[in-house]
Coordinates of all heavy atoms in Angstrom, one line a residue:
Q336 N -14.1 -13.0 5.8 CA -12.8 -13.5 5.1 C -12.8 -15.0 4.9 O -12.2 -15.5 3.9 CB -11.6 -13.0 5.9 CG -11.5 -11.6 6.3 CD -11.0 -10.7 5.2 OE1 -10.6 -11.1 4.1 NE2 -10.9 -9.4 5.5
N337 N -13.5 -15.7 5.8 CA -13.4 -17.2 5.7 C -14.1 -17.7 4.5 O -13.7 -18.7 3.9 CB -13.9 -17.8 7.0 CG -13.0 -17.5 8.1 OD1 -11.8 -17.4 8.0 ND2 -13.6 -17.4 9.3
I338 N -15.3 -17.1 4.2 CA -16.0 -17.6 3.0 C -15.9 -16.7 1.8 O -16.4 -16.9 0.7 CB -17.5 -17.8 3.3 CG1 -18.2 -16.5 3.8 CG2 -17.7 -18.9 4.4 CD1 -19.7 -16.6 3.9
G339 N -15.2 -15.5 2.0 CA -15.0 -14.6 0.9 C -16.2 -13.9 0.4 O -16.3 -13.5 -0.8
E340 N -17.2 -13.7 1.2 CA -18.4 -13.1 0.8 C -18.8 -12.0 1.8 O -18.5 -12.0 3.0 CB -19.6 -14.1 0.9 CG -19.7 -15.0 -0.3 CD -20.6 -14.4 -1.4 OE1 -20.8 -13.2 -1.4 OE2 -21.1 -15.2 -2.2
F341 N -19.4 -10.9 1.2 CA -20.0 -9.9 2.1 C -21.3 -10.4 2.6 O -22.1 -10.8 1.8 CB -20.2 -8.6 1.3 CG -18.9 -7.8 1.0 CD1 -18.2 -7.9 -0.2 CD2 -18.5 -6.9 2.0 CE1 -17.1 -7.2 -0.4 CE2 -17.3 -6.1 1.8 CZ -16.6 -6.3 0.6
V342 N -21.5 -10.2 3.9 CA -22.8 -10.7 4.5 C -23.5 -9.5 5.1 O -22.9 -8.6 5.7 CB -22.4 -11.7 5.6 CG1 -23.7 -12.1 6.4 CG2 -21.7 -12.9 5.1
L343 N -24.8 -9.5 4.9 CA -25.7 -8.3 5.4 C -25.6 -8.3 6.9 O -26.1 -9.2 7.6 CB -27.1 -8.5 4.9 CG -28.1 -7.4 5.3 CD1 -27.7 -6.1 4.8 CD2 -29.5 -7.8 4.9
T344 N -25.0 -7.2 7.4 CA -24.9 -7.1 8.9 C -25.5 -5.8 9.4 O -25.8 -5.7 10.6 CB -23.4 -7.0 9.3 OG1 -22.7 -6.1 8.4 CG2 -22.7 -8.4 9.2
H345 N -25.7 -4.8 8.5 CA -26.3 -3.5 8.9 C -27.4 -3.2 8.0 O -27.3 -2.3 7.1 CB -25.2 -2.4 8.8 CG -24.0 -2.6 9.7 ND1 -23.2 -3.7 9.7 CD2 -23.6 -1.8 10.7 CE1 -22.3 -3.6 10.6 NE2 -22.5 -2.4 11.2
P346 N -28.6 -3.9 8.1 CA -29.7 -3.6 7.3 C -30.3 -2.2 7.6 O -30.3 -1.8 8.8 CB -30.7 -4.7 7.6 CG -30.3 -5.2 8.9 CD -28.9 -4.9 9.1
N347 N -30.8 -1.5 6.6 CA -31.5 -0.2 6.8 C -30.8 0.8 7.7 O -31.3 1.2 8.7 CB -32.9 -0.5 7.4 CG -33.9 -0.6 6.3 OD1 -33.9 0.1 5.4 ND2 -34.7 -1.6 6.5
M348 N -29.6 1.2 7.3 CA -28.8 2.1 8.1 C -29.5 3.5 8.1 O -29.9 4.0 7.0 CB -27.4 2.2 7.5 CG -26.7 0.9 7.6 SD -25.0 1.0 6.8 CE -24.1 1.5 8.2

Side-chain angles (χ1 to χ4, degrees):
Q336 309 273 2
N337 293 330
I338 60 168
E340 278 270 23
F341 282 97
V342 174
L343 180 63
T344 47
H345 296 59
N347 269 318
M348 299 177 86

